[in-house]
C-alpha cells in the first residue's frame, strides 16, 4: 500500500492536492476536516461539539479524533492506500496512526509537507471565507489556527524527518505546478 500523509499549515493546499492525488493514484482520501464539517452540516450532537472547537481554531481532543480515524479506516477495506489529510495533527496522533497502520502490517510511506508562506496562507483562507461558510475562515480564527499549527502540529515535521519520511514540497506555485512536484516524488517511490 501507498500511505501518504499530506502535511501543511491551514490553507497550504492539502485538500486541493489530495483530490488530485487520489484521482491519479487511486488512493482513498481521508480528510478529518471534511468528516467534521459533514457532522456539522448534519447538525449531529458530535458536530455541534466539534464546531465549538473548530470555530475558535482549536483542535478537537486527541482521544476523540483517534477513535474517529480508527472508525474511518475500518470502513475502507481492500484499498490501494490512503491519503491522510488533516491527520495527524499532534505527536500523539502521529504515534496513534503508526499503531493503527501496524495492525494491518502497514506504515506511513511518505509525508508530503506543503511549504507556503504565512501571508499567502492568510490571503487564501480569507478569500475562501467570502464563499465557504466555514466557521473558521475569518481573520480572528485564522490567527488561532496558525498558532495551533506552529505549537502543536509543526513538531511532527521533526518526528517524520527523523524517520526519513518527510519530503518538502514548494506549495506556492499554481495548483498544477504543486501537483507536478508531488507526482515526481510519488512516481519515484512507486518506481
Ligand atoms: P482542516 O479542515 O484540516 O483545515 P486546515 O488544516 O486548517 O486547512 P484547510 O482545509 O483550510 O486548508 P488546506 O491545507 O486543505 O488547503 P486547501 O486545499 O483547502 O481542519 C479544520 C479544523 O478541524 C481544525 O482547525 C480543527 O479544529 C479540526 N480538526 C481537523 N482535523 C483534526 C485533527 N486531526 N485533530 C484535531 N482537530 C482536527 O486550499 C486553501 C485555499 O487555497 C482554497 O481556497 C484553495 O482553492 C486555494 N489554493 C490551494 N492551492 C492553491 C495554489 N497552489 N495557489 C493558489 N490558491 C490555492
Ligand atoms: Mg483542507
Amino acid at each position: 500500500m501507498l500511505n501518504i500523509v499530506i502535511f501543511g499549515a491551514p490553507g497550504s493546499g492539502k485538500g486541493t492536492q489530495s483530490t488530485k492525488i487520489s484521482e491519479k493514484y487511486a488512493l482513498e482520501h481521508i480528510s478529518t476536516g471534511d468528516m467534521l464539517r459533514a457532522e456539522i452540516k448534519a447538525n449531529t450532537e458530535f458536530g455541534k461539539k466539534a464546531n465549538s472547537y473548530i470555530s475558535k481554531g482549536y483542535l478537537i481532543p486527541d482521544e476523540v479524533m483517534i477513535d474517529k480515524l480508527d472508525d474511518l479506516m475500518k470502513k475502507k477495506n481492500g484499498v490501494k492506500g490512503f491519503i491522510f489529510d488533516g491527520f495527524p495533527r499532534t505527536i500523539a496522533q502521529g504515534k496513534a496512526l503508526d499503531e493503527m497502520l501496524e495492525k494491518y502490517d502497514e506504515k506511513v510511506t511518505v509525508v508530503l509537507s506543503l511549504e507556503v508562506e504565512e501571508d499567502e496562507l492568510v490571503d487564501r483562507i480569507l478569500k475562501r471565507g467570502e464563499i465557504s461558510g466555514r466557521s473558521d475562515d475569518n481573520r480572528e480564527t485564522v490567527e488561532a489556527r496558525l498558532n495551533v499549527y506552529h505549537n502543536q502540529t509543526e513538531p511532527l515535521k521533526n518526528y517524520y524527518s527523523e524517520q526519513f519520511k518527510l519530503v518538502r514540497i514548494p506549495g506556492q506555485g499554481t495548483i498544477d505546478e504543486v501537483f507536478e512536484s508531488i507526482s515526481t516524488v510519488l512516481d519515484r517511490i512507486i518506481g
Side-chain angles (χ1 to χ4, degrees):
M1 272 166 73
L2 183 60
N3 298 308
I4 301 169
V5 172
I6 188 135
F7 189 87
S12 58
K14 300 184 295 294
T16 304
Q17 296 298 328
S18 293
T19 305
K20 294 175 79 71
I21 300 168
S22 77
E23 277 168 16
K24 180 166 176 188
Y25 297 92
L27 303 175
E28 196 65 37
H29 177 198
I30 292 193
S31 162
T32 46
D34 288 350
M35 179 272 286
L36 292 167
R37 282 184 290 277
E39 296 265 0
I40 293 170
K41 203 169 165 208
N43 212 19
T44 63
E45 279 312 309
F46 176 73
K48 284 183 214 162
K49 215 160 175 197
N51 197 37
S52 70
Y53 290 89
I54 293 174
S55 62
K56 295 190 195 82
Y58 301 155
L59 298 182
I60 279 87
D62 281 337
E63 321 79 70
V64 178
M65 287 313 294
I66 290 166
D67 279 352
K68 284 277 173 192
L69 189 84
D70 205 21
D71 284 349
L72 280 176
M73 281 175 68
K74 273 187 208 139
K75 285 189 202 135
K76 314 272 182 188
N77 261 320
V79 299
K80 283 172 70 180
F82 292 103
I83 308 167
F84 298 100
D85 162 9
F87 193 103
R89 262 184 145 88
T90 60
I91 299 279
Q93 290 185 17
K95 289 183 175 161
L97 179 61
D98 290 344
E99 283 164 22
M100 276 183 248
L101 286 168
E102 215 164 287
K103 283 193 283 191
Y104 305 94
D105 255 335
E106 288 293 332
K107 51 184 172 13
V108 171
T109 315
V110 65
V111 178
L112 304 171
S113 174
L114 296 172
E115 310 280 328
V116 177
E117 278 171 29
E118 202 129 315
D119 289 353
E120 168 83 11
L121 297 171
V122 174
D123 284 352
R124 286 184 188 178
I125 290 173
L126 294 184
K127 192 168 156 217
R128 183 179 58 194
E130 291 164 14
I131 48 162
S132 71
R134 273 176 60 161
S135 64
D136 57 351
D137 280 350
N138 55 71
R139 195 169 283 280
E140 306 80 76
T141 308
V142 166
E143 206 167 296
R145 285 162 72 190
L146 288 170
N147 280 334
V148 165
Y149 170 74
H150 291 307
N151 293 326
Q152 295 181 253
T153 305
E154 217 170 11
L156 278 163
K157 278 195 188 176
N158 233 340
Y159 180 76
Y160 287 119
S161 70
E162 280 169 357
Q163 301 175 39
F164 306 103
K165 287 183 178 171
L166 190 83
V167 179
R168 291 171 199 270
I169 305 284
Q172 261 180 222
T174 64
I175 290 171
D176 286 339
E177 281 165 356
V178 177
F179 186 57
E180 185 69 37
S181 307
I182 290 176
S183 292
T184 305
V185 172
L186 295 182
D187 290 341
R188 207 161 54 215
I189 291 172
I190 294 166

